[in-house]
Amino acid sequence: QLQLQESGPGLVKPSETLSLTCTVSGGSISSSGYYWGWVRQPPGKRLEWIGSIYYSGSTYYIPSLKSRLTISADTSKNQYSLKLSSVTAADTAVYYCARDQGNFEIDYWGQGTPVIVSS
Amino acid sequence: DVVMTQSPLSLPVTLGQPASISCRSSQSLVNSNGNTYLNWFQQRPGQSPRRLIYKVSNRDSGVPDRFSGSGSGTDFTLEISRVEAEDVGVYYCMQGTHWPGTFGQGTKLEIK
């Protein structure tokens, strides 16, 4: 059974960089055909897909975050990571890592980790 | 981006009664390959989302058959034939035909 688990600080100061890691077990992030993504949910708002990394290493980001977002993978640890720079209160959200089979057919989710941006 | 609009946003249902959630997209979700990438997710209180339905009407493994999905083009529906207590939570539709994938606002199902 595939499992995904997010980890990282729950509190980040404004203008700093938010860093989260997703550790995958029960399957390899190098498996052909899968995208490994991040979805966030700000308080009281809808879920928002923000970006992903393909098994080949290609990355995809929503335009509004493209200048601040970096997603990378460490296949030796079977992990992938998110870095969001210059955060503001608008980046406060629960962040989920998730596996996408393609065409946003998201079949596995992590438990989610809340991140608050505050001084 | 494609806007997904769900209704109702709040759905009180009596145990054992049916429930229906509507999801409308701002553009047709028929892909150039002929598939329609419309998913339904359930998020129970305190849990992460769980996919119930993919490609409009395909139930995921382990999903009770009281859940069914239907629709085409821009109009889609999730139906629960007989609501049970474990169905309480928020339901989201999500389209994957147009990049980036986008979610509906969510419909909160509660027991009357």
Side-chain angles (χ1 to χ4, degrees), chain A residues 87-106:
Chain A
V87 296
T88 69
D91 297 309
T92 292
V94 177
Y95 286 76
Y96 297 95
C97 58
R99 188 181 83 167
D100 172 8
Q101 298 170 291
N103 289 104
F104 299 95
E105 292 195 308
I106 299 173

Side-chain angles (χ1 to χ4, degrees), chain A residues 41 46 96 101 104 110, chain B residues 4 39 43 51 92 103 105:
Chain A
Q41 186 169 32
R46 68 182 72 194
Y96 297 95
Q101 298 170 291
F104 299 95
Chain B
M4 304 298 289
N39 305 303
Q43 187 171 29
R51 194 177 67 184
Y92 297 94
F103 293 86
Q105 319 98 300

Side-chain angles (χ1 to χ4, degrees), chain A residues 13-55:
Chain A
K13 290 183 169 57
S15 80
E16 295 189 346
T17 296
L18 183 167
S19 297
L20 297 174
T21 295
C22 182
T23 300
V24 178
S25 56
S28 171
I29 64 170
S30 300
S31 296
S32 176
Y34 293 109
Y35 298 78
W36 302 90
W38 293 94
V39 178
R40 70 180 182 179
Q41 186 169 32
K45 295 190 175 182
R46 68 182 72 194
L47 293 157
E48 178 184 40
W49 176 88
I50 62 173
S52 63
I53 185 165
Y54 195 40
Y55 78 101

Side-chain angles (χ1 to χ4, degrees), chain B residues 5-42:
Chain B
T5 304
Q6 291 182 227
S7 62
L9 299 185
S10 178
L11 184 57
V13 185
T14 301
L15 286 173
Q17 292 301 301
S20 180
I21 301 171
S22 171
C23 175
R24 290 184 173 169
S25 58
S26 60
Q27 300 177 37
S28 172
L29 299 186
V30 180
N31 190 283
S32 56
N33 65 11
N35 288 321
T36 300
Y37 295 100
L38 188 284
N39 305 303
W40 287 98
F41 297 94
Q42 175 195 60

Side-chain angles (χ1 to χ4, degrees), chain B residues 1 3 46 77 104:
Chain B
D1 294 359
V3 177
T77 303

Side-chain angles (χ1 to χ4, degrees), chain B residues 28-100:
Chain B
S28 172
L29 299 186
V30 180
N31 190 283
S32 56
N33 65 11
N35 288 321
T36 300
Y37 295 100
L38 188 284
N39 305 303
W40 287 98
F41 297 94
Q42 175 195 60
Q43 187 171 29
R44 290 171 171 154
Q47 296 187 14
S48 55
R50 163 202 182 197
R51 194 177 67 184
L52 301 174
I53 303 283
Y54 61 96
K55 288 192 188 76
V56 181
S57 60
N58 295 275
R59 252 191 320 272
D60 272 277
S61 174
V63 174
D65 60 8
R66 64 179 183 276
F67 289 93
S68 63
S70 63
S72 63
T74 60
D75 289 342
F76 304 93
T77 303
L78 175 70
E79 293 183 322
I80 309 173
S81 58
R82 295 173 306 279
V83 169
E84 297 188 5
E86 65 178 18
D87 300 335
V88 165
V90 181
Y91 292 79
Y92 297 94
C93 59
M94 180 197 189
Q95 69 82 21
T97 296
H98 302 283
W99 192 94

